[in-house]
Amino acid sequence: MADREDRAEHEERDGHRGATLGIDIGTSSTKGVLVGPDGTILRTASREHAVDRPHPGHVEMDAQLWWAEFTGIARELIESAQVPVTAVGVSGMGPCVLLTDEDGTPVRPAILYGVDSRAEAEIEELTTLFGEQEILARSGCVLSSQAAGPKVRWVARHEPETFARASRLFMPSSYLAFRLTGQYVLDHASASMATPLYDTAALDWHRPWAEVVAPGLELPPLQWSGEVAGTVSAQAARAIPGLAEGTPVITGTVDAWAEAISVGATAPGDVMLMYGTTTFLVAITDAPAPSRSMWVTSGTTPGTFTLSGGMASSGAITGWMRELTGNADFSTLVQEAEASGVGANGLLMLPYFAGERSPMHDPSARGVIAGLTLSHTRGDLYRAALEAAAFGVRHHVEALREAGVRIERMVAVGGGTQNELWPRIVSDVTGLQQEVPRRTVGASYGTSMLAAQVAHGTDTTSWNGIDHVCTPDAAAAAQYDELYRLYRDLYPATREITHALAARQHSA
């Protein structure tokens, strides 16, 4: 509402100074935003899309779609606002593996991040080859389905003819930067997710391991997320009328890291909690915090690092449940879940509907709904799904603390913050206060901030103030403490059965 109210006031004043364009390639949609020099959102646009699942455990996307949606959104925003674009910001889901030839033409669809679990054998092989302790010491984390390196190895092994045509490694943000500028670069944060190819302490590729995992690939030069990758080429300017040749384009980063920037979670002690199709946490540290259950990466700026974790599904479960029960409005489902009350009338759910990434790293985990009776309602099920995601967040918070990370401030972002129930449940379950910013647009807004810093030298710290604070309720927290213990017990109690069922699903 605030953005709509102040847009007209700012457009005329800021139009002559131009705007920054930020676009993010997400799992289920591409989102773009045009932002004035004071942080005012002038225009937004989005395009929905779906992933491809050609085989069980395989999750892919056509990179040509990324460019098509980028150009479509950019044209829409520029044409509707009639404001010159002074810089472009890019981000995208990750870590992904997009292999291209030397001209940047994809040789196969991109393999997505930890939701794609195809490389289990390669993870085991590389762990044995290099040594788990050595990988932990160099990369800060062990190999898992989140790591990009084993997926490169998978292509080399299972699609040798395709791999023979591959010369370069991209992720969504670097692919967009390449299509815009012709420059082949990657940000440090993204590169450090290509475990075990990157040395976190040295802040550079580890060439001896890269030659084993990705033989023959030309790894990109590394930059920081807010550095200029290059400028808009004549070819890109022709594809996007109104975007001038020579406009600077930042290097960009992975979406969750851009989301953290969008809400000011950039200092050691800050934690960004992203509510979306999956739930993701990024904790900012001033030194690597090695962990066997979470992911250590370089930060987006020199001198910072992160420890992060992500669930394989959270908001995706609520969408699935909505479709399964008649496509009711989300507002109706939230009201029904509110009426259900703490504990969902005795239901307990494991949210591992797509396996689980951190902190368990179990691609064969499966969703469980325990305690069902004929008297349970749709609202009870929806509440149980929200509570399951909250229990998953608490599991991650405990893993962060076990790694020695201090949590001084948690900032929430993403579509799940648009209603108060889900963040309130998370605060009650974790015992942590959450700050909810005025603008929760997400990664595209974060990249527009970085672009504004490049174009204008703008101090963007005042762009996105706090709208409200979500504080835990002591009575609810006490009930959730008991339910959380049951939640943690339910996974090992059902693991053997769900693994057997997962094996049947794979064979089918």
Side-chain angles (χ1 to χ4, degrees), residues 433-466:
Q433 176 178 288
Q434 295 175 83
E435 297 179 4
V436 182
R438 186 163 80 103
R439 298 184 175 107
T440 58
V441 176
S444 58
Y445 193 65
T447 61
S448 73
M449 286 181 166
L450 293 177
Q453 293 165 17
V454 167
H456 309 298
T458 304
D459 179 359
T460 61
T461 54
S462 63
W463 273 23
N464 199 8
I466 300 302

PDB file of all heavy atoms in Angstrom, residues 433-466:
ATOM      1  N   GLN A 433      12.516 -13.268  17.977  1.00  0.00           N
ATOM      2  CA  GLN A 433      11.822 -12.115  17.414  1.00  0.00           C
ATOM      3  C   GLN A 433      12.218 -11.963  15.963  1.00  0.00           C
ATOM      4  O   GLN A 433      13.367 -12.199  15.582  1.00  0.00           O
ATOM      5  CB  GLN A 433      12.228 -10.884  18.212  1.00  0.00           C
ATOM      6  CG  GLN A 433      11.690  -9.571  17.713  1.00  0.00           C
ATOM      7  CD  GLN A 433      12.106  -8.427  18.608  1.00  0.00           C
ATOM      8  OE1 GLN A 433      11.631  -8.267  19.719  1.00  0.00           O
ATOM      9  NE2 GLN A 433      13.037  -7.625  18.121  1.00  0.00           N
ATOM     10  N   GLN A 434      11.250 -11.585  15.114  1.00  0.00           N
ATOM     11  CA  GLN A 434      11.531 -11.350  13.700  1.00  0.00           C
ATOM     12  C   GLN A 434      11.140  -9.927  13.318  1.00  0.00           C
ATOM     13  O   GLN A 434      10.059  -9.469  13.672  1.00  0.00           O
ATOM     14  CB  GLN A 434      10.739 -12.312  12.817  1.00  0.00           C
ATOM     15  CG  GLN A 434      11.093 -13.767  12.972  1.00  0.00           C
ATOM     16  CD  GLN A 434      10.155 -14.625  12.143  1.00  0.00           C
ATOM     17  OE1 GLN A 434      10.337 -14.806  10.945  1.00  0.00           O
ATOM     18  NE2 GLN A 434       9.131 -15.154  12.788  1.00  0.00           N
ATOM     19  N   GLU A 435      12.023  -9.273  12.586  1.00  0.00           N
ATOM     20  CA  GLU A 435      11.715  -7.975  12.021  1.00  0.00           C
ATOM     21  C   GLU A 435      11.172  -8.181  10.604  1.00  0.00           C
ATOM     22  O   GLU A 435      11.785  -8.879   9.801  1.00  0.00           O
ATOM     23  CB  GLU A 435      12.962  -7.094  11.981  1.00  0.00           C
ATOM     24  CG  GLU A 435      13.534  -6.791  13.357  1.00  0.00           C
ATOM     25  CD  GLU A 435      14.789  -5.938  13.284  1.00  0.00           C
ATOM     26  OE1 GLU A 435      15.169  -5.524  12.161  1.00  0.00           O
ATOM     27  OE2 GLU A 435      15.396  -5.691  14.342  1.00  0.00           O
ATOM     28  N   VAL A 436      10.038  -7.577  10.326  1.00  0.00           N
ATOM     29  CA  VAL A 436       9.440  -7.670   8.992  1.00  0.00           C
ATOM     30  C   VAL A 436       9.537  -6.297   8.343  1.00  0.00           C
ATOM     31  O   VAL A 436       8.925  -5.345   8.816  1.00  0.00           O
ATOM     32  CB  VAL A 436       7.974  -8.136   9.058  1.00  0.00           C
ATOM     33  CG1 VAL A 436       7.406  -8.272   7.641  1.00  0.00           C
ATOM     34  CG2 VAL A 436       7.866  -9.457   9.805  1.00  0.00           C
ATOM     35  N   PRO A 437      10.309  -6.161   7.265  1.00  0.00           N
ATOM     36  CA  PRO A 437      10.519  -4.852   6.648  1.00  0.00           C
ATOM     37  C   PRO A 437       9.269  -4.332   5.952  1.00  0.00           C
ATOM     38  O   PRO A 437       8.318  -5.066   5.683  1.00  0.00           O
ATOM     39  CB  PRO A 437      11.632  -5.097   5.627  1.00  0.00           C
ATOM     40  CG  PRO A 437      12.192  -6.435   5.964  1.00  0.00           C
ATOM     41  CD  PRO A 437      11.093  -7.202   6.619  1.00  0.00           C
ATOM     42  N   ARG A 438       9.307  -3.052   5.617  1.00  0.00           N
ATOM     43  CA  ARG A 438       8.185  -2.433   4.920  1.00  0.00           C
ATOM     44  C   ARG A 438       8.014  -3.026   3.533  1.00  0.00           C
ATOM     45  O   ARG A 438       6.904  -3.210   3.059  1.00  0.00           O
ATOM     46  CB  ARG A 438       8.416  -0.914   4.816  1.00  0.00           C
ATOM     47  CG  ARG A 438       7.228  -0.154   4.238  1.00  0.00           C
ATOM     48  CD  ARG A 438       7.337   1.331   4.529  1.00  0.00           C
ATOM     49  NE  ARG A 438       8.243   2.013   3.619  1.00  0.00           N
ATOM     50  CZ  ARG A 438       7.846   2.765   2.604  1.00  0.00           C
ATOM     51  NH1 ARG A 438       6.562   2.884   2.336  1.00  0.00           N
ATOM     52  NH2 ARG A 438       8.712   3.400   1.848  1.00  0.00           N
ATOM     53  N   ARG A 439       9.120  -3.324   2.883  1.00  0.00           N
ATOM     54  CA  ARG A 439       9.069  -3.900   1.543  1.00  0.00           C
ATOM     55  C   ARG A 439       9.656  -5.307   1.589  1.00  0.00           C
ATOM     56  O   ARG A 439      10.797  -5.495   2.007  1.00  0.00           O
ATOM     57  CB  ARG A 439       9.842  -3.039   0.545  1.00  0.00           C
ATOM     58  CG  ARG A 439       9.266  -1.620   0.384  1.00  0.00           C
ATOM     59  CD  ARG A 439      10.024  -0.858  -0.700  1.00  0.00           C
ATOM     60  NE  ARG A 439       9.405   0.451  -0.945  1.00  0.00           N
ATOM     61  CZ  ARG A 439       9.925   1.614  -0.552  1.00  0.00           C
ATOM     62  NH1 ARG A 439      11.072   1.634   0.110  1.00  0.00           N
ATOM     63  NH2 ARG A 439       9.313   2.745  -0.814  1.00  0.00           N
ATOM     64  N   THR A 440       8.875  -6.278   1.166  1.00  0.00           N
ATOM     65  CA  THR A 440       9.348  -7.663   1.144  1.00  0.00           C
ATOM     66  C   THR A 440       9.319  -8.196  -0.287  1.00  0.00           C
ATOM     67  O   THR A 440       8.987  -9.348  -0.534  1.00  0.00           O
ATOM     68  CB  THR A 440       8.486  -8.548   2.066  1.00  0.00           C
ATOM     69  OG1 THR A 440       7.116  -8.483   1.640  1.00  0.00           O
ATOM     70  CG2 THR A 440       8.580  -8.101   3.505  1.00  0.00           C
ATOM     71  N   VAL A 441       9.675  -7.319  -1.229  1.00  0.00           N
ATOM     72  CA  VAL A 441       9.685  -7.687  -2.640  1.00  0.00           C
ATOM     73  C   VAL A 441      10.669  -8.820  -2.893  1.00  0.00           C
ATOM     74  O   VAL A 441      10.426  -9.714  -3.691  1.00  0.00           O
ATOM     75  CB  VAL A 441      10.028  -6.462  -3.508  1.00  0.00           C
ATOM     76  CG1 VAL A 441      10.141  -6.852  -4.973  1.00  0.00           C
ATOM     77  CG2 VAL A 441       8.981  -5.384  -3.317  1.00  0.00           C
ATOM     78  N   GLY A 442      11.813  -8.780  -2.204  1.00  0.00           N
ATOM     79  CA  GLY A 442      12.750  -9.882  -2.298  1.00  0.00           C
ATOM     80  C   GLY A 442      13.997  -9.581  -3.105  1.00  0.00           C
ATOM     81  O   GLY A 442      14.500  -8.461  -3.144  1.00  0.00           O
ATOM     82  N   ALA A 443      14.494 -10.636  -3.779  1.00  0.00           N
ATOM     83  CA  ALA A 443      15.811 -10.583  -4.416  1.00  0.00           C
ATOM     84  C   ALA A 443      15.917  -9.492  -5.460  1.00  0.00           C
ATOM     85  O   ALA A 443      16.958  -8.834  -5.575  1.00  0.00           O
ATOM     86  CB  ALA A 443      16.136 -11.933  -5.024  1.00  0.00           C
ATOM     87  N   SER A 444      14.876  -9.280  -6.259  1.00  0.00           N
ATOM     88  CA  SER A 444      14.956  -8.259  -7.308  1.00  0.00           C
ATOM     89  C   SER A 444      15.177  -6.870  -6.705  1.00  0.00           C
ATOM     90  O   SER A 444      15.875  -6.035  -7.289  1.00  0.00           O
ATOM     91  CB  SER A 444      13.695  -8.277  -8.175  1.00  0.00           C
ATOM     92  OG  SER A 444      12.535  -8.069  -7.384  1.00  0.00           O
ATOM     93  N   TYR A 445      14.600  -6.634  -5.531  1.00  0.00           N
ATOM     94  CA  TYR A 445      14.808  -5.349  -4.853  1.00  0.00           C
ATOM     95  C   TYR A 445      16.246  -5.243  -4.340  1.00  0.00           C
ATOM     96  O   TYR A 445      16.871  -4.179  -4.416  1.00  0.00           O
ATOM     97  CB  TYR A 445      13.810  -5.201  -3.713  1.00  0.00           C
ATOM     98  CG  TYR A 445      13.710  -3.802  -3.138  1.00  0.00           C
ATOM     99  CD1 TYR A 445      13.233  -2.750  -3.907  1.00  0.00           C
ATOM    100  CD2 TYR A 445      14.087  -3.540  -1.825  1.00  0.00           C
ATOM    101  CE1 TYR A 445      13.132  -1.469  -3.382  1.00  0.00           C
ATOM    102  CE2 TYR A 445      13.987  -2.263  -1.291  1.00  0.00           C
ATOM    103  CZ  TYR A 445      13.521  -1.222  -2.077  1.00  0.00           C
ATOM    104  OH  TYR A 445      13.422   0.038  -1.562  1.00  0.00           O
ATOM    105  N   GLY A 446      16.781  -6.375  -3.841  1.00  0.00           N
ATOM    106  CA  GLY A 446      18.167  -6.374  -3.373  1.00  0.00           C
ATOM    107  C   GLY A 446      19.156  -6.084  -4.484  1.00  0.00           C
ATOM    108  O   GLY A 446      20.114  -5.322  -4.301  1.00  0.00           O
ATOM    109  N   THR A 447      18.920  -6.663  -5.668  1.00  0.00           N
ATOM    110  CA  THR A 447      19.842  -6.389  -6.776  1.00  0.00           C
ATOM    111  C   THR A 447      19.695  -4.961  -7.277  1.00  0.00           C
ATOM    112  O   THR A 447      20.665  -4.368  -7.756  1.00  0.00           O
ATOM    113  CB  THR A 447      19.631  -7.374  -7.938  1.00  0.00           C
ATOM    114  OG1 THR A 447      18.304  -7.247  -8.453  1.00  0.00           O
ATOM    115  CG2 THR A 447      19.851  -8.795  -7.495  1.00  0.00           C
ATOM    116  N   SER A 448      18.487  -4.396  -7.151  1.00  0.00           N
ATOM    117  CA  SER A 448      18.324  -2.985  -7.538  1.00  0.00           C
ATOM    118  C   SER A 448      19.108  -2.084  -6.579  1.00  0.00           C
ATOM    119  O   SER A 448      19.616  -1.033  -6.988  1.00  0.00           O
ATOM    120  CB  SER A 448      16.843  -2.597  -7.554  1.00  0.00           C
ATOM    121  OG  SER A 448      16.318  -2.474  -6.247  1.00  0.00           O
ATOM    122  N   MET A 449      19.212  -2.496  -5.314  1.00  0.00           N
ATOM    123  CA  MET A 449      20.036  -1.740  -4.358  1.00  0.00           C
ATOM    124  C   MET A 449      21.499  -1.742  -4.788  1.00  0.00           C
ATOM    125  O   MET A 449      22.161  -0.695  -4.804  1.00  0.00           O
ATOM    126  CB  MET A 449      19.912  -2.361  -2.959  1.00  0.00           C
ATOM    127  CG  MET A 449      18.607  -2.112  -2.242  1.00  0.00           C
ATOM    128  SD  MET A 449      18.645  -2.888  -0.602  1.00  0.00           S
ATOM    129  CE  MET A 449      17.219  -2.114   0.163  1.00  0.00           C
ATOM    130  N   LEU A 450      21.998  -2.935  -5.117  1.00  0.00           N
ATOM    131  CA  LEU A 450      23.386  -3.025  -5.565  1.00  0.00           C
ATOM    132  C   LEU A 450      23.600  -2.202  -6.828  1.00  0.00           C
ATOM    133  O   LEU A 450      24.630  -1.534  -6.987  1.00  0.00           O
ATOM    134  CB  LEU A 450      23.757  -4.483  -5.810  1.00  0.00           C
ATOM    135  CG  LEU A 450      23.816  -5.400  -4.587  1.00  0.00           C
ATOM    136  CD1 LEU A 450      24.130  -6.829  -5.011  1.00  0.00           C
ATOM    137  CD2 LEU A 450      24.852  -4.905  -3.577  1.00  0.00           C
ATOM    138  N   ALA A 451      22.637  -2.245  -7.746  1.00  0.00           N
ATOM    139  CA  ALA A 451      22.755  -1.469  -8.979  1.00  0.00           C
ATOM    140  C   ALA A 451      22.762   0.025  -8.694  1.00  0.00           C
ATOM    141  O   ALA A 451      23.494   0.786  -9.347  1.00  0.00           O
ATOM    142  CB  ALA A 451      21.608  -1.828  -9.920  1.00  0.00           C
ATOM    143  N   ALA A 452      21.952   0.461  -7.718  1.00  0.00           N
ATOM    144  CA  ALA A 452      21.920   1.891  -7.372  1.00  0.00           C
ATOM    145  C   ALA A 452      23.250   2.345  -6.781  1.00  0.00           C
ATOM    146  O   ALA A 452      23.700   3.467  -7.015  1.00  0.00           O
ATOM    147  CB  ALA A 452      20.791   2.160  -6.382  1.00  0.00           C
ATOM    148  N   GLN A 453      23.877   1.460  -6.013  1.00  0.00           N
ATOM    149  CA  GLN A 453      25.186   1.805  -5.458  1.00  0.00           C
ATOM    150  C   GLN A 453      26.205   1.991  -6.571  1.00  0.00           C
ATOM    151  O   GLN A 453      27.065   2.874  -6.506  1.00  0.00           O
ATOM    152  CB  GLN A 453      25.628   0.699  -4.491  1.00  0.00           C
ATOM    153  CG  GLN A 453      24.771   0.603  -3.244  1.00  0.00           C
ATOM    154  CD  GLN A 453      24.981  -0.690  -2.476  1.00  0.00           C
ATOM    155  OE1 GLN A 453      25.976  -1.389  -2.671  1.00  0.00           O
ATOM    156  NE2 GLN A 453      24.050  -1.027  -1.602  1.00  0.00           N
ATOM    157  N   VAL A 454      26.090   1.183  -7.638  1.00  0.00           N
ATOM    158  CA  VAL A 454      26.999   1.293  -8.778  1.00  0.00           C
ATOM    159  C   VAL A 454      26.698   2.557  -9.577  1.00  0.00           C
ATOM    160  O   VAL A 454      27.608   3.322  -9.942  1.00  0.00           O
ATOM    161  CB  VAL A 454      26.869   0.052  -9.692  1.00  0.00           C
ATOM    162  CG1 VAL A 454      27.563   0.290 -11.026  1.00  0.00           C
ATOM    163  CG2 VAL A 454      27.452  -1.169  -9.005  1.00  0.00           C
ATOM    164  N   ALA A 455      25.415   2.797  -9.866  1.00  0.00           N
ATOM    165  CA  ALA A 455      25.040   3.888 -10.764  1.00  0.00           C
ATOM    166  C   ALA A 455      25.187   5.261 -10.125  1.00  0.00           C
ATOM    167  O   ALA A 455      25.604   6.220 -10.780  1.00  0.00           O
ATOM    168  CB  ALA A 455      23.598   3.684 -11.232  1.00  0.00           C
ATOM    169  N   HIS A 456      24.810   5.354  -8.851  1.00  0.00           N
ATOM    170  CA  HIS A 456      24.735   6.676  -8.215  1.00  0.00           C
ATOM    171  C   HIS A 456      25.621   6.815  -6.986  1.00  0.00           C
ATOM    172  O   HIS A 456      25.683   7.892  -6.403  1.00  0.00           O
ATOM    173  CB  HIS A 456      23.290   6.972  -7.782  1.00  0.00           C
ATOM    174  CG  HIS A 456      22.273   6.783  -8.859  1.00  0.00           C
ATOM    175  ND1 HIS A 456      22.271   7.520 -10.022  1.00  0.00           N
ATOM    176  CD2 HIS A 456      21.210   5.935  -8.958  1.00  0.00           C
ATOM    177  CE1 HIS A 456      21.256   7.136 -10.796  1.00  0.00           C
ATOM    178  NE2 HIS A 456      20.608   6.172 -10.169  1.00  0.00           N
ATOM    179  N   GLY A 457      26.263   5.728  -6.565  1.00  0.00           N
ATOM    180  CA  GLY A 457      26.966   5.776  -5.286  1.00  0.00           C
ATOM    181  C   GLY A 457      25.991   5.948  -4.143  1.00  0.00           C
ATOM    182  O   GLY A 457      26.312   6.512  -3.089  1.00  0.00           O
ATOM    183  N   THR A 458      24.757   5.433  -4.326  1.00  0.00           N
ATOM    184  CA  THR A 458      23.685   5.662  -3.368  1.00  0.00           C
ATOM    185  C   THR A 458      23.889   4.858  -2.084  1.00  0.00           C
ATOM    186  O   THR A 458      24.245   3.678  -2.128  1.00  0.00           O
ATOM    187  CB  THR A 458      22.330   5.259  -3.989  1.00  0.00           C
ATOM    188  OG1 THR A 458      22.162   5.982  -5.205  1.00  0.00           O
ATOM    189  CG2 THR A 458      21.179   5.555  -3.044  1.00  0.00           C
ATOM    190  N   ASP A 459      23.653   5.492  -0.945  1.00  0.00           N
ATOM    191  CA  ASP A 459      23.586   4.778   0.331  1.00  0.00           C
ATOM    192  C   ASP A 459      22.158   4.255   0.471  1.00  0.00           C
ATOM    193  O   ASP A 459      21.215   5.021   0.663  1.00  0.00           O
ATOM    194  CB  ASP A 459      23.921   5.727   1.486  1.00  0.00           C
ATOM    195  CG  ASP A 459      23.849   5.030   2.844  1.00  0.00           C
ATOM    196  OD1 ASP A 459      23.522   3.824   2.889  1.00  0.00           O
ATOM    197  OD2 ASP A 459      24.113   5.696   3.864  1.00  0.00           O
ATOM    198  N   THR A 460      21.986   2.956   0.354  1.00  0.00           N
ATOM    199  CA  THR A 460      20.640   2.370   0.328  1.00  0.00           C
ATOM    200  C   THR A 460      20.170   1.866   1.693  1.00  0.00           C
ATOM    201  O   THR A 460      19.121   1.234   1.782  1.00  0.00           O
ATOM    202  CB  THR A 460      20.602   1.198  -0.671  1.00  0.00           C
ATOM    203  OG1 THR A 460      21.540   0.193  -0.252  1.00  0.00           O
ATOM    204  CG2 THR A 460      20.955   1.661  -2.071  1.00  0.00           C
ATOM    205  N   THR A 461      20.901   2.155   2.756  1.00  0.00           N
ATOM    206  CA  THR A 461      20.546   1.607   4.070  1.00  0.00           C
ATOM    207  C   THR A 461      19.194   2.098   4.566  1.00  0.00           C
ATOM    208  O   THR A 461      18.560   1.433   5.387  1.00  0.00           O
ATOM    209  CB  THR A 461      21.632   1.952   5.106  1.00  0.00           C
ATOM    210  OG1 THR A 461      21.847   3.371   5.116  1.00  0.00           O
ATOM    211  CG2 THR A 461      22.936   1.238   4.781  1.00  0.00           C
ATOM    212  N   SER A 462      18.743   3.244   4.080  1.00  0.00           N
ATOM    213  CA  SER A 462      17.458   3.771   4.536  1.00  0.00           C
ATOM    214  C   SER A 462      16.296   3.386   3.628  1.00  0.00           C
ATOM    215  O   SER A 462      15.154   3.782   3.865  1.00  0.00           O
ATOM    216  CB  SER A 462      17.526   5.304   4.643  1.00  0.00           C
ATOM    217  OG  SER A 462      17.759   5.876   3.363  1.00  0.00           O
ATOM    218  N   TRP A 463      16.557   2.619   2.603  1.00  0.00           N
ATOM    219  CA  TRP A 463      15.521   2.295   1.628  1.00  0.00           C
ATOM    220  C   TRP A 463      14.388   1.456   2.216  1.00  0.00           C
ATOM    221  O   TRP A 463      13.241   1.603   1.811  1.00  0.00           O
ATOM    222  CB  TRP A 463      16.150   1.520   0.457  1.00  0.00           C
ATOM    223  CG  TRP A 463      16.706   2.392  -0.615  1.00  0.00           C
ATOM    224  CD1 TRP A 463      17.105   3.698  -0.516  1.00  0.00           C
ATOM    225  CD2 TRP A 463      16.958   2.007  -1.972  1.00  0.00           C
ATOM    226  NE1 TRP A 463      17.585   4.145  -1.710  1.00  0.00           N
ATOM    227  CE2 TRP A 463      17.508   3.135  -2.627  1.00  0.00           C
ATOM    228  CE3 TRP A 463      16.786   0.842  -2.689  1.00  0.00           C
ATOM    229  CZ2 TRP A 463      17.868   3.116  -3.969  1.00  0.00           C
ATOM    230  CZ3 TRP A 463      17.148   0.810  -4.030  1.00  0.00           C
ATOM    231  CH2 TRP A 463      17.685   1.942  -4.664  1.00  0.00           C
ATOM    232  N   ASN A 464      14.697   0.572   3.120  1.00  0.00           N
ATOM    233  CA  ASN A 464      13.703  -0.425   3.524  1.00  0.00           C
ATOM    234  C   ASN A 464      13.627  -0.540   5.042  1.00  0.00           C
ATOM    235  O   ASN A 464      14.246  -1.421   5.656  1.00  0.00           O
ATOM    236  CB  ASN A 464      14.057  -1.791   2.900  1.00  0.00           C
ATOM    237  CG  ASN A 464      12.878  -2.735   2.867  1.00  0.00           C
ATOM    238  OD1 ASN A 464      11.747  -2.347   3.160  1.00  0.00           O
ATOM    239  ND2 ASN A 464      13.118  -3.979   2.534  1.00  0.00           N
ATOM    240  N   GLY A 465      12.853   0.337   5.665  1.00  0.00           N
ATOM    241  CA  GLY A 465      12.704   0.316   7.116  1.00  0.00           C
ATOM    242  C   GLY A 465      11.824  -0.829   7.597  1.00  0.00           C
ATOM    243  O   GLY A 465      11.162  -1.512   6.819  1.00  0.00           O
ATOM    244  N   ILE A 466      11.799  -1.030   8.902  1.00  0.00           N
ATOM    245  CA  ILE A 466      11.032  -2.117   9.506  1.00  0.00           C
ATOM    246  C   ILE A 466       9.568  -1.714   9.639  1.00  0.00           C
ATOM    247  O   ILE A 466       9.237  -0.641  10.167  1.00  0.00           O
ATOM    248  CB  ILE A 466      11.608  -2.487  10.888  1.00  0.00           C
ATOM    249  CG1 ILE A 466      13.068  -2.932  10.739  1.00  0.00           C
ATOM    250  CG2 ILE A 466      10.777  -3.573  11.555  1.00  0.00           C
ATOM    251  CD1 ILE A 466      13.252  -4.104   9.795  1.00  0.00           C
TER     252      ILE A 466
END
